[in-house]
Amino acid sequence: MGDSAKKGRVTVIGSLNMDLVARAPRLPRPGETLAGHAFAQVPGGKGGNQAVASARLGAQVAMIGCVGGDSNGATLRSSLEAEGIDCTALATSANAPTGVALIVVDDASQNAIVIVAGSNAEVTPARIAEEEALIARADVIVCQLETPPDTVRAALAAGRRLQHTTILNPAPAARKLPPDWFPLIDYLIPNELEAATLSGVAIETPDDARRAAQALKAKGARNVIVTLGAQGVLALIDGAPGEGVHLPSPNVQAVDTTAAGDTFIGGFAAELARGAGAMDAIAFGQRAAAIAVTREGAQPSIPHRSEISA
Ligand code: RIB
């Protein structure tokens, strides 16, 4: 999609990782060595994935982040630039290596991920102050928890002060978010594990997700969307009827769920920035994520806007 066809601006404050991905019959047990059957090294990181998803799915995107001065950093930077993402606020660390993620994907398409932050730890609150102009130009700002917490809070606070729409994907799962974060969040988008950890409500079913979403909304988040993998999403949206709507996922054969949530969030953010209402943006994000799970890898799996059916 050419830049001229892109509408709405999304600024992502977040992580960039080089993903080292092994495919194995199943996830290893503690102490076990397991023979895998494929290996790939692909651009990832929740921040990078959400930025790429927003760009491919129709928004003008800027990325605030930090890579290392190594070959992984150069690869991640050039892959964002190739998507037309504004990387003027993407710093290069003088000391830290680029973040990495070690990922195992099993034959049932589930994954387990370990991240090592590296240069992502250098996305400091001072960077948010320095890049205020970039945040001011955005319609929607998107954060996750793979950069330091003080930075995420500063970004959400800047978004709120500038009256932009703020999205927090609280991933990786945190036991608690500070209470003063919730009123800064327009859309809190956890997966079921993150929602359970944050709310204390065990989640097996969409009804459990509804209770978790209600608990998180009661803390002050304006809207809560719990992603439930193959079970779809539970959306508790201001002004929408009822106490939370369950939207099932399109039925597809998944091969790798890595970055499915990131694709949903990037697509949702892009669609909101383009002027859609929340429920339409959710449906769009779900269609995009349903395509991503049918492909391998993080950023390589993310579809373009032209691939999403109306
Ligand atoms: O959400 C998937 C992402 O989580 C991977 O790309 C990996 O880098 C980790 O950040």
Side-chain angles (χ1 to χ4, degrees), residues 104-141:
V104 181
V105 182
D106 70 13
D107 285 348
S109 83
Q110 298 304 303
N111 63 48
I113 304 180
V114 174
I115 54 168
V116 181
S119 52
N120 293 309
E122 295 188 9
V123 187
T124 59
R127 295 290 319 287
I128 302 303
E130 284 159 19
E131 303 300 346
E132 175 125 351
L134 205 54
I135 295 175
R137 281 206 297 276
D139 300 300
V140 176
I141 72 155

PDB file of all heavy atoms in Angstrom, residues 104-141:
ATOM      1  N   VAL A 104       9.954 -21.201  20.853  1.00  0.00           N
ATOM      2  CA  VAL A 104       9.701 -22.573  20.391  1.00  0.00           C
ATOM      3  C   VAL A 104       8.240 -22.644  19.975  1.00  0.00           C
ATOM      4  O   VAL A 104       7.358 -22.219  20.732  1.00  0.00           O
ATOM      5  CB  VAL A 104       9.981 -23.622  21.492  1.00  0.00           C
ATOM      6  CG1 VAL A 104       9.723 -25.031  20.951  1.00  0.00           C
ATOM      7  CG2 VAL A 104      11.408 -23.506  22.009  1.00  0.00           C
ATOM      8  N   VAL A 105       8.003 -23.137  18.765  1.00  0.00           N
ATOM      9  CA  VAL A 105       6.626 -23.342  18.285  1.00  0.00           C
ATOM     10  C   VAL A 105       6.414 -24.835  18.118  1.00  0.00           C
ATOM     11  O   VAL A 105       7.217 -25.505  17.453  1.00  0.00           O
ATOM     12  CB  VAL A 105       6.388 -22.628  16.930  1.00  0.00           C
ATOM     13  CG1 VAL A 105       4.936 -22.804  16.474  1.00  0.00           C
ATOM     14  CG2 VAL A 105       6.746 -21.153  17.018  1.00  0.00           C
ATOM     15  N   ASP A 106       5.352 -25.358  18.719  1.00  0.00           N
ATOM     16  CA  ASP A 106       5.134 -26.807  18.628  1.00  0.00           C
ATOM     17  C   ASP A 106       4.195 -27.156  17.466  1.00  0.00           C
ATOM     18  O   ASP A 106       3.680 -26.264  16.783  1.00  0.00           O
ATOM     19  CB  ASP A 106       4.636 -27.372  19.967  1.00  0.00           C
ATOM     20  CG  ASP A 106       3.208 -26.950  20.309  1.00  0.00           C
ATOM     21  OD1 ASP A 106       2.497 -26.436  19.441  1.00  0.00           O
ATOM     22  OD2 ASP A 106       2.808 -27.158  21.473  1.00  0.00           O
ATOM     23  N   ASP A 107       4.014 -28.465  17.261  1.00  0.00           N
ATOM     24  CA  ASP A 107       3.222 -28.916  16.109  1.00  0.00           C
ATOM     25  C   ASP A 107       1.742 -28.601  16.257  1.00  0.00           C
ATOM     26  O   ASP A 107       0.983 -28.717  15.290  1.00  0.00           O
ATOM     27  CB  ASP A 107       3.429 -30.424  15.873  1.00  0.00           C
ATOM     28  CG  ASP A 107       4.795 -30.702  15.249  1.00  0.00           C
ATOM     29  OD1 ASP A 107       5.442 -29.733  14.799  1.00  0.00           O
ATOM     30  OD2 ASP A 107       5.215 -31.877  15.233  1.00  0.00           O
ATOM     31  N   ALA A 108       1.338 -28.171  17.463  1.00  0.00           N
ATOM     32  CA  ALA A 108      -0.060 -27.734  17.643  1.00  0.00           C
ATOM     33  C   ALA A 108      -0.174 -26.227  17.470  1.00  0.00           C
ATOM     34  O   ALA A 108      -1.209 -25.641  17.801  1.00  0.00           O
ATOM     35  CB  ALA A 108      -0.562 -28.156  19.020  1.00  0.00           C
ATOM     36  N   SER A 109       0.935 -25.601  17.008  1.00  0.00           N
ATOM     37  CA  SER A 109       0.992 -24.171  16.692  1.00  0.00           C
ATOM     38  C   SER A 109       1.041 -23.260  17.921  1.00  0.00           C
ATOM     39  O   SER A 109       0.925 -22.041  17.809  1.00  0.00           O
ATOM     40  CB  SER A 109      -0.143 -23.737  15.744  1.00  0.00           C
ATOM     41  OG  SER A 109      -1.315 -23.487  16.466  1.00  0.00           O
ATOM     42  N   GLN A 110       1.227 -23.850  19.104  1.00  0.00           N
ATOM     43  CA  GLN A 110       1.382 -23.031  20.312  1.00  0.00           C
ATOM     44  C   GLN A 110       2.851 -22.655  20.470  1.00  0.00           C
ATOM     45  O   GLN A 110       3.729 -23.334  19.942  1.00  0.00           O
ATOM     46  CB  GLN A 110       0.907 -23.801  21.554  1.00  0.00           C
ATOM     47  CG  GLN A 110      -0.566 -24.163  21.509  1.00  0.00           C
ATOM     48  CD  GLN A 110      -1.439 -22.926  21.312  1.00  0.00           C
ATOM     49  OE1 GLN A 110      -1.376 -21.990  22.108  1.00  0.00           O
ATOM     50  NE2 GLN A 110      -2.233 -22.922  20.245  1.00  0.00           N
ATOM     51  N   ASN A 111       3.105 -21.569  21.223  1.00  0.00           N
ATOM     52  CA  ASN A 111       4.511 -21.181  21.394  1.00  0.00           C
ATOM     53  C   ASN A 111       4.847 -20.916  22.847  1.00  0.00           C
ATOM     54  O   ASN A 111       3.976 -20.743  23.696  1.00  0.00           O
ATOM     55  CB  ASN A 111       4.834 -19.958  20.519  1.00  0.00           C
ATOM     56  CG  ASN A 111       4.035 -18.733  20.919  1.00  0.00           C
ATOM     57  OD1 ASN A 111       3.969 -18.395  22.093  1.00  0.00           O
ATOM     58  ND2 ASN A 111       3.423 -18.069  19.948  1.00  0.00           N
ATOM     59  N   ALA A 112       6.163 -20.892  23.120  1.00  0.00           N
ATOM     60  CA  ALA A 112       6.685 -20.424  24.408  1.00  0.00           C
ATOM     61  C   ALA A 112       7.826 -19.478  24.053  1.00  0.00           C
ATOM     62  O   ALA A 112       8.609 -19.755  23.132  1.00  0.00           O
ATOM     63  CB  ALA A 112       7.178 -21.592  25.246  1.00  0.00           C
ATOM     64  N   ILE A 113       7.908 -18.347  24.751  1.00  0.00           N
ATOM     65  CA  ILE A 113       8.848 -17.292  24.359  1.00  0.00           C
ATOM     66  C   ILE A 113       9.626 -16.805  25.576  1.00  0.00           C
ATOM     67  O   ILE A 113       9.051 -16.579  26.641  1.00  0.00           O
ATOM     68  CB  ILE A 113       8.087 -16.074  23.751  1.00  0.00           C
ATOM     69  CG1 ILE A 113       7.214 -16.499  22.567  1.00  0.00           C
ATOM     70  CG2 ILE A 113       9.053 -14.972  23.344  1.00  0.00           C
ATOM     71  CD1 ILE A 113       6.413 -15.364  21.904  1.00  0.00           C
ATOM     72  N   VAL A 114      10.947 -16.655  25.407  1.00  0.00           N
ATOM     73  CA  VAL A 114      11.778 -15.971  26.410  1.00  0.00           C
ATOM     74  C   VAL A 114      12.389 -14.762  25.716  1.00  0.00           C
ATOM     75  O   VAL A 114      12.972 -14.895  24.635  1.00  0.00           O
ATOM     76  CB  VAL A 114      12.913 -16.883  26.924  1.00  0.00           C
ATOM     77  CG1 VAL A 114      13.849 -16.097  27.856  1.00  0.00           C
ATOM     78  CG2 VAL A 114      12.353 -18.094  27.648  1.00  0.00           C
ATOM     79  N   ILE A 115      12.239 -13.579  26.326  1.00  0.00           N
ATOM     80  CA  ILE A 115      12.855 -12.383  25.735  1.00  0.00           C
ATOM     81  C   ILE A 115      14.013 -11.909  26.598  1.00  0.00           C
ATOM     82  O   ILE A 115      13.992 -12.047  27.814  1.00  0.00           O
ATOM     83  CB  ILE A 115      11.842 -11.220  25.553  1.00  0.00           C
ATOM     84  CG1 ILE A 115      11.132 -10.900  26.869  1.00  0.00           C
ATOM     85  CG2 ILE A 115      10.852 -11.519  24.459  1.00  0.00           C
ATOM     86  CD1 ILE A 115      10.353  -9.590  26.830  1.00  0.00           C
ATOM     87  N   VAL A 116      15.026 -11.345  25.922  1.00  0.00           N
ATOM     88  CA  VAL A 116      16.123 -10.671  26.618  1.00  0.00           C
ATOM     89  C   VAL A 116      16.121  -9.239  26.079  1.00  0.00           C
ATOM     90  O   VAL A 116      16.311  -9.013  24.870  1.00  0.00           O
ATOM     91  CB  VAL A 116      17.470 -11.372  26.355  1.00  0.00           C
ATOM     92  CG1 VAL A 116      18.589 -10.655  27.113  1.00  0.00           C
ATOM     93  CG2 VAL A 116      17.393 -12.840  26.785  1.00  0.00           C
ATOM     94  N   ALA A 117      15.876  -8.279  26.985  1.00  0.00           N
ATOM     95  CA  ALA A 117      15.514  -6.918  26.546  1.00  0.00           C
ATOM     96  C   ALA A 117      16.622  -6.228  25.751  1.00  0.00           C
ATOM     97  O   ALA A 117      16.347  -5.541  24.764  1.00  0.00           O
ATOM     98  CB  ALA A 117      15.142  -6.071  27.753  1.00  0.00           C
ATOM     99  N   GLY A 118      17.883  -6.365  26.179  1.00  0.00           N
ATOM    100  CA  GLY A 118      18.971  -5.652  25.496  1.00  0.00           C
ATOM    101  C   GLY A 118      18.643  -4.175  25.368  1.00  0.00           C
ATOM    102  O   GLY A 118      18.255  -3.508  26.340  1.00  0.00           O
ATOM    103  N   SER A 119      18.752  -3.658  24.150  1.00  0.00           N
ATOM    104  CA  SER A 119      18.578  -2.218  23.917  1.00  0.00           C
ATOM    105  C   SER A 119      17.147  -1.725  24.190  1.00  0.00           C
ATOM    106  O   SER A 119      16.931  -0.525  24.363  1.00  0.00           O
ATOM    107  CB  SER A 119      18.969  -1.882  22.477  1.00  0.00           C
ATOM    108  OG  SER A 119      18.281  -2.733  21.585  1.00  0.00           O
ATOM    109  N   ASN A 120      16.162  -2.633  24.266  1.00  0.00           N
ATOM    110  CA  ASN A 120      14.794  -2.183  24.580  1.00  0.00           C
ATOM    111  C   ASN A 120      14.733  -1.514  25.958  1.00  0.00           C
ATOM    112  O   ASN A 120      13.858  -0.687  26.213  1.00  0.00           O
ATOM    113  CB  ASN A 120      13.811  -3.355  24.539  1.00  0.00           C
ATOM    114  CG  ASN A 120      13.646  -3.910  23.139  1.00  0.00           C
ATOM    115  OD1 ASN A 120      13.398  -3.158  22.204  1.00  0.00           O
ATOM    116  ND2 ASN A 120      13.806  -5.214  22.979  1.00  0.00           N
ATOM    117  N   ALA A 121      15.682  -1.892  26.843  1.00  0.00           N
ATOM    118  CA  ALA A 121      15.702  -1.288  28.184  1.00  0.00           C
ATOM    119  C   ALA A 121      16.130   0.175  28.132  1.00  0.00           C
ATOM    120  O   ALA A 121      16.003   0.896  29.119  1.00  0.00           O
ATOM    121  CB  ALA A 121      16.646  -2.075  29.092  1.00  0.00           C
ATOM    122  N   GLU A 122      16.633   0.613  26.976  1.00  0.00           N
ATOM    123  CA  GLU A 122      17.087   2.010  26.866  1.00  0.00           C
ATOM    124  C   GLU A 122      16.022   2.939  26.285  1.00  0.00           C
ATOM    125  O   GLU A 122      16.319   4.087  25.947  1.00  0.00           O
ATOM    126  CB  GLU A 122      18.377   2.066  26.043  1.00  0.00           C
ATOM    127  CG  GLU A 122      19.512   1.357  26.764  1.00  0.00           C
ATOM    128  CD  GLU A 122      20.862   1.539  26.099  1.00  0.00           C
ATOM    129  OE1 GLU A 122      20.981   2.348  25.164  1.00  0.00           O
ATOM    130  OE2 GLU A 122      21.799   0.838  26.521  1.00  0.00           O
ATOM    131  N   VAL A 123      14.813   2.451  26.147  1.00  0.00           N
ATOM    132  CA  VAL A 123      13.709   3.345  25.750  1.00  0.00           C
ATOM    133  C   VAL A 123      13.207   3.982  27.054  1.00  0.00           C
ATOM    134  O   VAL A 123      12.345   3.452  27.740  1.00  0.00           O
ATOM    135  CB  VAL A 123      12.589   2.566  25.021  1.00  0.00           C
ATOM    136  CG1 VAL A 123      11.554   3.543  24.471  1.00  0.00           C
ATOM    137  CG2 VAL A 123      13.159   1.724  23.900  1.00  0.00           C
ATOM    138  N   THR A 124      13.792   5.100  27.398  1.00  0.00           N
ATOM    139  CA  THR A 124      13.572   5.712  28.719  1.00  0.00           C
ATOM    140  C   THR A 124      12.462   6.768  28.658  1.00  0.00           C
ATOM    141  O   THR A 124      12.112   7.256  27.574  1.00  0.00           O
ATOM    142  CB  THR A 124      14.862   6.400  29.189  1.00  0.00           C
ATOM    143  OG1 THR A 124      15.199   7.386  28.195  1.00  0.00           O
ATOM    144  CG2 THR A 124      15.996   5.404  29.348  1.00  0.00           C
ATOM    145  N   PRO A 125      11.940   7.183  29.819  1.00  0.00           N
ATOM    146  CA  PRO A 125      10.941   8.261  29.826  1.00  0.00           C
ATOM    147  C   PRO A 125      11.461   9.529  29.161  1.00  0.00           C
ATOM    148  O   PRO A 125      10.677  10.278  28.549  1.00  0.00           O
ATOM    149  CB  PRO A 125      10.666   8.481  31.316  1.00  0.00           C
ATOM    150  CG  PRO A 125      11.023   7.186  31.965  1.00  0.00           C
ATOM    151  CD  PRO A 125      12.156   6.612  31.164  1.00  0.00           C
ATOM    152  N   ALA A 126      12.770   9.775  29.250  1.00  0.00           N
ATOM    153  CA  ALA A 126      13.323  10.984  28.604  1.00  0.00           C
ATOM    154  C   ALA A 126      13.073  10.958  27.099  1.00  0.00           C
ATOM    155  O   ALA A 126      12.854  12.002  26.464  1.00  0.00           O
ATOM    156  CB  ALA A 126      14.820  11.081  28.889  1.00  0.00           C
ATOM    157  N   ARG A 127      13.055   9.738  26.523  1.00  0.00           N
ATOM    158  CA  ARG A 127      12.804   9.625  25.074  1.00  0.00           C
ATOM    159  C   ARG A 127      11.380  10.075  24.726  1.00  0.00           C
ATOM    160  O   ARG A 127      11.138  10.620  23.652  1.00  0.00           O
ATOM    161  CB  ARG A 127      12.989   8.170  24.604  1.00  0.00           C
ATOM    162  CG  ARG A 127      14.397   7.621  24.707  1.00  0.00           C
ATOM    163  CD  ARG A 127      15.326   8.267  23.698  1.00  0.00           C
ATOM    164  NE  ARG A 127      14.704   8.437  22.388  1.00  0.00           N
ATOM    165  CZ  ARG A 127      14.449   7.438  21.530  1.00  0.00           C
ATOM    166  NH1 ARG A 127      14.806   6.216  21.798  1.00  0.00           N
ATOM    167  NH2 ARG A 127      13.859   7.683  20.357  1.00  0.00           N
ATOM    168  N   ILE A 128      10.454   9.835  25.648  1.00  0.00           N
ATOM    169  CA  ILE A 128       9.057  10.234  25.387  1.00  0.00           C
ATOM    170  C   ILE A 128       8.981  11.759  25.344  1.00  0.00           C
ATOM    171  O   ILE A 128       8.323  12.349  24.468  1.00  0.00           O
ATOM    172  CB  ILE A 128       8.116   9.661  26.475  1.00  0.00           C
ATOM    173  CG1 ILE A 128       8.226   8.133  26.520  1.00  0.00           C
ATOM    174  CG2 ILE A 128       6.673  10.100  26.243  1.00  0.00           C
ATOM    175  CD1 ILE A 128       7.937   7.432  25.217  1.00  0.00           C
ATOM    176  N   ALA A 129       9.693  12.401  26.278  1.00  0.00           N
ATOM    177  CA  ALA A 129       9.704  13.876  26.298  1.00  0.00           C
ATOM    178  C   ALA A 129      10.355  14.400  25.012  1.00  0.00           C
ATOM    179  O   ALA A 129       9.840  15.329  24.373  1.00  0.00           O
ATOM    180  CB  ALA A 129      10.449  14.367  27.530  1.00  0.00           C
ATOM    181  N   GLU A 130      11.463  13.766  24.603  1.00  0.00           N
ATOM    182  CA  GLU A 130      12.160  14.224  23.383  1.00  0.00           C
ATOM    183  C   GLU A 130      11.295  14.056  22.135  1.00  0.00           C
ATOM    184  O   GLU A 130      11.398  14.837  21.194  1.00  0.00           O
ATOM    185  CB  GLU A 130      13.442  13.391  23.167  1.00  0.00           C
ATOM    186  CG  GLU A 130      14.596  13.759  24.071  1.00  0.00           C
ATOM    187  CD  GLU A 130      15.612  12.608  24.164  1.00  0.00           C
ATOM    188  OE1 GLU A 130      15.620  11.715  23.282  1.00  0.00           O
ATOM    189  OE2 GLU A 130      16.373  12.601  25.138  1.00  0.00           O
ATOM    190  N   GLU A 131      10.476  13.022  22.123  1.00  0.00           N
ATOM    191  CA  GLU A 131       9.690  12.704  20.914  1.00  0.00           C
ATOM    192  C   GLU A 131       8.244  13.181  21.024  1.00  0.00           C
ATOM    193  O   GLU A 131       7.367  12.676  20.342  1.00  0.00           O
ATOM    194  CB  GLU A 131       9.733  11.195  20.631  1.00  0.00           C
ATOM    195  CG  GLU A 131      11.122  10.619  20.470  1.00  0.00           C
ATOM    196  CD  GLU A 131      11.909  11.251  19.317  1.00  0.00           C
ATOM    197  OE1 GLU A 131      11.310  11.949  18.471  1.00  0.00           O
ATOM    198  OE2 GLU A 131      13.130  11.044  19.277  1.00  0.00           O
ATOM    199  N   GLU A 132       7.996  14.153  21.867  1.00  0.00           N
ATOM    200  CA  GLU A 132       6.616  14.624  22.086  1.00  0.00           C
ATOM    201  C   GLU A 132       5.949  15.070  20.767  1.00  0.00           C
ATOM    202  O   GLU A 132       4.764  14.838  20.554  1.00  0.00           O
ATOM    203  CB  GLU A 132       6.619  15.766  23.111  1.00  0.00           C
ATOM    204  CG  GLU A 132       5.264  16.390  23.291  1.00  0.00           C
ATOM    205  CD  GLU A 132       4.772  16.415  24.729  1.00  0.00           C
ATOM    206  OE1 GLU A 132       5.392  15.796  25.607  1.00  0.00           O
ATOM    207  OE2 GLU A 132       3.743  17.072  24.941  1.00  0.00           O
ATOM    208  N   ALA A 133       6.750  15.666  19.875  1.00  0.00           N
ATOM    209  CA  ALA A 133       6.155  16.147  18.615  1.00  0.00           C
ATOM    210  C   ALA A 133       5.602  14.968  17.806  1.00  0.00           C
ATOM    211  O   ALA A 133       4.527  15.064  17.191  1.00  0.00           O
ATOM    212  CB  ALA A 133       7.201  16.902  17.803  1.00  0.00           C
ATOM    213  N   LEU A 134       6.326  13.857  17.838  1.00  0.00           N
ATOM    214  CA  LEU A 134       5.879  12.672  17.101  1.00  0.00           C
ATOM    215  C   LEU A 134       4.601  12.102  17.729  1.00  0.00           C
ATOM    216  O   LEU A 134       3.683  11.661  17.025  1.00  0.00           O
ATOM    217  CB  LEU A 134       6.993  11.621  17.159  1.00  0.00           C
ATOM    218  CG  LEU A 134       7.070  10.592  16.061  1.00  0.00           C
ATOM    219  CD1 LEU A 134       7.119  11.256  14.699  1.00  0.00           C
ATOM    220  CD2 LEU A 134       8.309   9.722  16.275  1.00  0.00           C
ATOM    221  N   ILE A 135       4.561  12.141  19.057  1.00  0.00           N
ATOM    222  CA  ILE A 135       3.359  11.664  19.750  1.00  0.00           C
ATOM    223  C   ILE A 135       2.200  12.628  19.465  1.00  0.00           C
ATOM    224  O   ILE A 135       1.064  12.202  19.244  1.00  0.00           O
ATOM    225  CB  ILE A 135       3.639  11.519  21.262  1.00  0.00           C
ATOM    226  CG1 ILE A 135       4.683  10.413  21.473  1.00  0.00           C
ATOM    227  CG2 ILE A 135       2.368  11.203  22.035  1.00  0.00           C
ATOM    228  CD1 ILE A 135       5.150  10.224  22.886  1.00  0.00           C
ATOM    229  N   ALA A 136       2.514  13.902  19.406  1.00  0.00           N
ATOM    230  CA  ALA A 136       1.456  14.908  19.168  1.00  0.00           C
ATOM    231  C   ALA A 136       0.820  14.728  17.794  1.00  0.00           C
ATOM    232  O   ALA A 136      -0.360  15.017  17.611  1.00  0.00           O
ATOM    233  CB  ALA A 136       2.033  16.312  19.303  1.00  0.00           C
ATOM    234  N   ARG A 137       1.568  14.218  16.817  1.00  0.00           N
ATOM    235  CA  ARG A 137       1.023  14.043  15.459  1.00  0.00           C
ATOM    236  C   ARG A 137       0.149  12.803  15.330  1.00  0.00           C
ATOM    237  O   ARG A 137      -0.552  12.636  14.343  1.00  0.00           O
ATOM    238  CB  ARG A 137       2.177  13.939  14.447  1.00  0.00           C
ATOM    239  CG  ARG A 137       2.796  15.276  14.079  1.00  0.00           C
ATOM    240  CD  ARG A 137       3.440  15.223  12.700  1.00  0.00           C
ATOM    241  NE  ARG A 137       4.548  14.289  12.612  1.00  0.00           N
ATOM    242  CZ  ARG A 137       5.798  14.563  12.972  1.00  0.00           C
ATOM    243  NH1 ARG A 137       6.098  15.745  13.460  1.00  0.00           N
ATOM    244  NH2 ARG A 137       6.759  13.669  12.858  1.00  0.00           N
ATOM    245  N   ALA A 138       0.223  11.898  16.332  1.00  0.00           N
ATOM    246  CA  ALA A 138      -0.488  10.616  16.212  1.00  0.00           C
ATOM    247  C   ALA A 138      -1.970  10.769  16.524  1.00  0.00           C
ATOM    248  O   ALA A 138      -2.366  11.631  17.303  1.00  0.00           O
ATOM    249  CB  ALA A 138       0.124   9.603  17.175  1.00  0.00           C
ATOM    250  N   ASP A 139      -2.791   9.922  15.906  1.00  0.00           N
ATOM    251  CA  ASP A 139      -4.188   9.801  16.323  1.00  0.00           C
ATOM    252  C   ASP A 139      -4.303   8.759  17.434  1.00  0.00           C
ATOM    253  O   ASP A 139      -5.129   8.877  18.336  1.00  0.00           O
ATOM    254  CB  ASP A 139      -5.061   9.353  15.136  1.00  0.00           C
ATOM    255  CG  ASP A 139      -5.003  10.341  13.995  1.00  0.00           C
ATOM    256  OD1 ASP A 139      -5.378  11.506  14.214  1.00  0.00           O
ATOM    257  OD2 ASP A 139      -4.538   9.966  12.900  1.00  0.00           O
ATOM    258  N   VAL A 140      -3.499   7.720  17.313  1.00  0.00           N
ATOM    259  CA  VAL A 140      -3.559   6.598  18.253  1.00  0.00           C
ATOM    260  C   VAL A 140      -2.138   6.277  18.693  1.00  0.00           C
ATOM    261  O   VAL A 140      -1.230   6.220  17.859  1.00  0.00           O
ATOM    262  CB  VAL A 140      -4.173   5.349  17.554  1.00  0.00           C
ATOM    263  CG1 VAL A 140      -4.150   4.145  18.479  1.00  0.00           C
ATOM    264  CG2 VAL A 140      -5.594   5.637  17.078  1.00  0.00           C
ATOM    265  N   ILE A 141      -1.944   6.079  20.000  1.00  0.00           N
ATOM    266  CA  ILE A 141      -0.632   5.609  20.428  1.00  0.00           C
ATOM    267  C   ILE A 141      -0.768   4.222  21.066  1.00  0.00           C
ATOM    268  O   ILE A 141      -1.774   3.912  21.708  1.00  0.00           O
ATOM    269  CB  ILE A 141       0.103   6.599  21.354  1.00  0.00           C
ATOM    270  CG1 ILE A 141      -0.526   6.648  22.715  1.00  0.00           C
ATOM    271  CG2 ILE A 141       0.206   7.984  20.773  1.00  0.00           C
ATOM    272  CD1 ILE A 141       0.490   7.086  23.730  1.00  0.00           C
TER     273      ILE A 141
END
